[in-house]
């Protein structure tokens, strides 16, 4: 265990000096998992959903490729289960995998019932194929903008629920705990400042942590807040060493790090190096359709071999009209930089993409803290093991969002209304100190994580990273900041330290966690989870 420098609460608060809001269910996060949980609540329960930016800023909204589900008559649940287990590097929970895979068609059907317009072929759902999948089973929409279309329909469906209130631009600072149970959260809202939300049950759906790394596909909101909130509240975090890097992120200086979906490779795109050589068959017989971690590592090796900062995706051998129709979003982004994807190779390199580790949850979405549930990317449910199979995460959000929403609603319905504040406060006031250049620390942290805790890891780099992060923590974590810039940095430092501690502890290579000093998988010692819990502390 490392020395934990986090304070229980980020900012001072007192019930006599803050507005109060009472809800049956508080849902933190308005991506797919959060909104699916909100929809699961019956109309007689009051639900408050808070999102730190507007509703469209979530990983869900940016999802491209689609949702994995068995629809093809040639396919079987057993195939999808086997593919998920194979990708997961012997660390998946088989019961969870089976449950999620079998639930998938019904969850996709719900989305269709709520108005999601998935792409069709001859009147049937068009099914794509991605790396690691043995069959065509990826349901997609708007070509390569699946998340946008799903979220449009789910936001619309949520708006039809009069019991669901949404506060956008509302930053959740901390979960409130009393006598070991979660009782709601302290949030900051531009209209009424620090506000105490008392909730009978709370569901954490805050998504991922890609922003901890310099290169990432994730939007700005993905700073790992949920893991940090849960950590300070005493919940168990598990498998934090497993960050999945997406192999193909657009790499154009000054451009956004747009993800170039795996579906391109599924449709036949080739990965070539600066000399035009198609290199994936040199590394793996599955070539471009090998699992993501294999493709990411191969790209890094080829970049080193050719001394070039990126490789390229080549679609020039595919029919141009098909490419434009199937990938209109990517075609438009590349066109802004003068690239015609039907002709020009697309420059790509890997980037941090999906946080596999997170808050430990059971099959229903319960965390280890009573009254606190969680769903989606913020969790470690056991579905992904050591490596996520492509397009299984939107599915996880749907399944666990529904479970957590239903479970939390049942638990809340058994608790009588009691509109009283609890004696919870944080009276700690920091001494005045020199201003800090937060952007500088944030950039340094992201570069460090990319360099030392990225696709390839080694004890020396990880040890240096742990020391540097702990040093930054020592003067950033005790501070009390007035706004989200500081709070996010504190959360990022808290989560990064745990990721590095877990990466140091796992002395083997498994799934997305690759140690140069321990290149083998060691089932005897390491076929197990690594978890961390902060000492229980209600604060105040
Ligand atoms: C570019 C891209 C493409 C992807 N493509 C696919 C794909 O094709 N298929 C697939 O299965 N998966 C894909 N993924 C992964 C998938 O999108 C995510 O895993 C999934 O959408 C996560 O959903 P979520 O609801 O858990 O979190 P998110 O959708 O990220 O939502 C998180 C929510 O939490 C809120 N939040 C965060 N912190 C706070 C805070 N402190 N206070 C208040 N609110 C907070 C945010 O505002 C947001 O509303 C992709 C991801 C990216 C980035």
């Amino acid at each position: 265990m490392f020395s934990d420098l986090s304070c229980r609460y980020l900012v001072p608060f007192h019930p006599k000096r803050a507005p109060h809001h009472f809800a049956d269910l508080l849902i933190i996060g308005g991506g797919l998992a959060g909104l699916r949980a909100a929809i699961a609540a019956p109309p007689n329960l009051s639900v408050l959903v808070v999102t730190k930016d507007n509703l469209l800023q979530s990983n869900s909204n940016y999802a491209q490729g689609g949702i994995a589900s068995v629809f093809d008559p040639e396919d079987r649940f057993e195939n999808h289960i086997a593919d998920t287990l194979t990708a997961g590097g012997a660390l998946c929970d088989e019961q969870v995998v089976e449950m999620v895979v079998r639930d998938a068609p019904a969850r996709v059907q719900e989305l269709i019932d709520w108005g999601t317009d998935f792409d069709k072929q001859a009147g049937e759902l068009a099914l794509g194929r991605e790396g690691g999948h043995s069959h065509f089973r990826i349901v997609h929409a708007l070509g390569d903008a699946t998340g946008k279309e799903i979220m449009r329909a789910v936001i619309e469906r949520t708006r039809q629920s009069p019991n669901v209130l949404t506060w956008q631009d509302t930053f959740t600072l901390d979960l409130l705990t009393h006598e070991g149970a979660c009782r709601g959260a302290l949030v900051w809202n531009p209209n009424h400042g620090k506000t105490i939300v008392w909730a009978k049950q709370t569901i954490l759906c805050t998504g991922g942590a890609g922003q901890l790394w310099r290169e990432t596909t994730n939007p700005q909101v993905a700073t790992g807040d949920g893991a940090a909130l849960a950590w300070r509240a005493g919940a168990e975090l598990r498998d934090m060493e497993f960050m999945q890097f997406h192999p193909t992120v657009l790499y154009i200086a000054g451009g956004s790090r747009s993800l170039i979906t795996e579906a391109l490779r599924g449709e036949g795109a080739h990965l070539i190096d600066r000399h035009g050589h198609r290199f994936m068959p040199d590394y793996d017989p599955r070539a471009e359709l090998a699992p993501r971690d294999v493709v990411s590592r191969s790209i890094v090796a080829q970049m080193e071999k050719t001394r070039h900062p990126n490789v390229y995706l080549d679609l020039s051998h595919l029919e141009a009209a098909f490419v434009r129709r199937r990938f209109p979003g990517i075609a438009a982004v590349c066109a802004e930089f003068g690239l015609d994807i039907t002709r020009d190779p697309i420059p790509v390199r890997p980037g941090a993409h999906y946080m596999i580790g997170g808050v430990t949850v059971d099959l229903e979405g319960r965390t280890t803290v009573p009254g606190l549930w969680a769903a989606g990317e913020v969790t470690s449910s056991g579905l992904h093991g050591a490596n996520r199979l492509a397009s299984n995460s939107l599915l996880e959000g749907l399944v666990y969002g529904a479970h957590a929403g239903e479970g939390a609603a049942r638990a809340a319905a058994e608790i009588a209304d009691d509109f009283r504040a609890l004696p919870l406060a944080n009276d700690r006031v920091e001494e005045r100190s020199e201003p800090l250049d937060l952007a500088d620390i944030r950039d340094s942290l992201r570069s460090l994580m990319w360099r030392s805790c990225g696709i390839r890891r080694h004890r020396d780099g990880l040890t240096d990273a742990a020391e540097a992060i702990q040093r930054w923590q020592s003067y950033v974590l005790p501070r009390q900041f007035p706004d989200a810039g500081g709070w996010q940095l504190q959360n990022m430092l808290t989560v990064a330290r745990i990721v590095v501690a877990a990466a140091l502890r796992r002395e083997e290579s498994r799934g997305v966690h690759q140690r140069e000093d321990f290149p083998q998988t060691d089932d005897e010692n390491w076929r197990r989870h690594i978890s961390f819990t902060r000492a229980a502390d209600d604060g105040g």
Side-chain angles (χ1 to χ4, degrees):
M1 186 58 186
F2 52 92
S3 50
D4 178 43
L5 301 177
S6 61
C7 303
R8 172 62 188 92
Y9 291 111
L10 290 185
V11 295
F13 66 94
H14 196 284
K16 287 187 181 167
R17 294 191 292 274
H20 298 257
H21 181 92
F22 291 84
D24 292 316
L25 292 186
L26 168 63
I27 300 176
I28 305 172
L32 188 59
L35 295 189
R36 183 61 192 83
I39 293 169
N44 61 327
L45 292 187
S46 63
V47 180
L48 174 64
V49 177
V50 297
T51 68
K52 77 173 172 186
D53 201 301
N54 67 55
L55 261 181
L56 296 181
Q57 286 309 315
S58 65
N59 277 0
S60 300
N61 200 55
Y62 289 97
Q64 296 183 347
I67 306 182
S69 176
V70 172
F71 280 111
D72 184 347
E74 300 283 301
D75 198 2
R76 294 277 172 278
F77 287 135
E78 289 72 19
N79 301 329
H80 189 179
I81 292 168
D83 293 345
T84 304
L85 295 175
T86 304
L91 220 58
C92 299
D93 179 329
E94 292 192 26
Q95 200 189 352
V96 169
V97 174
E98 171 133 13
M99 175 193 81
V100 172
V101 164
R102 289 186 185 277
D103 213 7
R107 296 295 165 202
V108 171
Q109 185 57 48
E110 274 175 353
L111 292 177
I112 296 170
D113 296 344
W114 298 335
T116 310
D117 190 10
F118 287 113
D119 296 335
K120 309 251 176 17
Q121 211 169 18
E124 301 287 328
L125 283 175
L127 301 176
R129 186 171 165 198
E130 295 183 335
H133 287 275
S134 58
H135 288 74
F136 284 81
R137 63 167 80 99
I138 316 298
V139 185
H140 49 85
L142 301 176
D144 54 4
T146 308
K148 189 171 168 205
E149 170 59 10
I150 294 175
M151 289 307 287
R152 182 200 60 74
V154 171
I155 290 171
E156 186 54 39
R157 173 70 182 71
T158 312
R159 289 200 170 123
Q160 290 162 14
S161 309
N163 60 321
V164 179
L165 182 65
T166 305
W167 290 355
Q168 303 186 56
D169 298 312
T170 300
F171 193 99
T172 303
L173 285 145
D174 267 305
L175 297 165
L176 299 170
T177 48
H178 185 57
E179 295 172 350
C182 182
R183 311 304 294 256
L186 178 69
V187 306
W188 187 91
N189 174 295
N191 300 321
H192 34 91
K194 268 183 258 175
T195 305
I196 299 178
V197 180
W198 301 105
K200 293 178 183 173
Q201 301 290 313
T202 302
I203 312 178
L204 198 56
C205 302
T206 45
Q211 287 291 330
L212 262 61
W213 283 263
R214 195 190 72 205
E215 304 290 333
T216 182
T217 62
N218 289 192
Q220 294 287 336
V221 291
T223 50
D225 294 352
L229 295 170
W231 170 256
R232 290 194 291 273
E236 180 183 280
L237 302 184
R238 193 174 69 175
D239 291 347
M240 295 296 285
E241 66 276 33
F242 296 121
M243 159 53 79
Q244 184 179 59
F245 292 84
H246 196 287
T248 51
V249 182
L250 187 63
Y251 187 64
I252 298 178
S256 73
R257 295 289 188 256
S258 298
L259 179 154
I260 306 295
T261 173
E262 190 144 350
L264 250 78
R265 282 176 282 132
E267 299 290 0
H270 292 162
L271 273 165
I272 56 172
D273 66 17
R274 67 188 299 194
H275 307 298
H277 171 59
R278 184 184 170 203
F279 58 87
M280 273 313 297
D282 303 346
Y283 293 93
D284 192 287
R286 292 163 291 185
E288 282 84 0
L289 290 182
R292 287 183 172 170
D293 57 313
V294 176
V295 180
S296 291
R297 281 198 303 281
S298 309
I299 291 176
V300 171
Q302 197 67 15
M303 278 161 43
E304 280 172 4
K305 211 185 235 177
T306 55
R307 296 174 193 275
H308 199 59
N310 57 275
V311 294
Y312 299 87
L313 270 168
D314 178 27
L315 295 107
S316 57
H317 55 289
L318 302 177
E319 195 209 331
F322 166 77
V323 168
R324 282 201 197 91
R325 193 174 62 247
R326 178 74 176 87
F327 303 109
I330 290 164
V333 170
C334 289
E336 281 179 35
F337 297 97
L339 294 176
D340 174 353
I341 65 167
T342 66
R343 223 182 40 212
D344 303 317
I346 309 168
V348 291
R349 61 185 282 169
H353 184 51
Y354 181 82
M355 189 62 192
I356 292 172
V359 185
T360 310
V361 288
D362 68 11
L363 282 168
E364 301 304 314
R366 274 184 213 88
T367 72
T368 54
V369 173
L372 179 65
W373 308 67
E377 191 168 340
V378 71
T379 66
S380 166
S381 68
L383 173 66
H384 309 299
N387 193 3
R388 176 189 70 124
L389 183 66
S391 290
N392 265 356
S393 45
L394 288 171
L395 176 58
E396 182 188 37
L398 284 172
V399 172
Y400 276 87
H403 284 198
E406 286 158 11
R410 271 196 305 276
E414 286 173 9
I415 301 173
D417 282 337
D418 179 8
F419 303 111
R420 275 184 305 181
L422 290 164
L424 267 180
N426 176 25
D427 295 323
R428 185 180 70 87
V429 178
E430 66 146 351
E431 294 149 28
R432 287 222 157 268
S433 30
E434 285 292 300
L436 284 176
D437 184 344
L438 300 185
D440 187 35
I441 302 170
R442 187 185 160 109
D443 290 347
S444 303
L445 174 68
R446 299 180 73 215
S447 295
L448 179 72
M449 291 297 282
W450 182 249
R451 220 171 37 243
S452 304
C453 197
I455 293 169
R456 289 188 304 190
R457 301 164 175 185
H458 188 284
R459 180 188 311 185
D460 296 347
L462 291 168
T463 307
D464 288 350
E467 284 168 10
I469 296 168
Q470 200 122 338
R471 204 165 45 247
W472 296 329
Q473 282 190 335
S474 69
Y475 52 86
V476 177
L477 296 196
R479 297 226 175 182
Q480 291 174 340
F481 292 100
D483 55 36
W487 305 329
Q488 283 182 159
L489 178 63
Q490 289 176 312
N491 288 340
M492 289 168 76
L493 286 169
T494 300
V495 177
R497 183 66 190 87
I498 300 167
V499 170
V500 171
L504 258 173
R505 187 170 303 174
R506 184 172 288 283
E507 295 186 331
E508 64 156 357
S509 290
R510 184 183 295 274
V512 298
H513 172 71
Q514 294 292 319
R515 291 273 303 252
E516 288 177 327
D517 45 347
F518 294 98
Q520 307 300 331
T521 301
D522 176 0
D523 276 342
E524 200 178 319
N525 293 307
W526 291 108
R527 192 175 170 185
R528 60 184 172 88
H529 298 287
I530 293 175
S531 46
F532 293 103
T533 312
R534 184 180 190 267
D537 164 16
D538 280 352

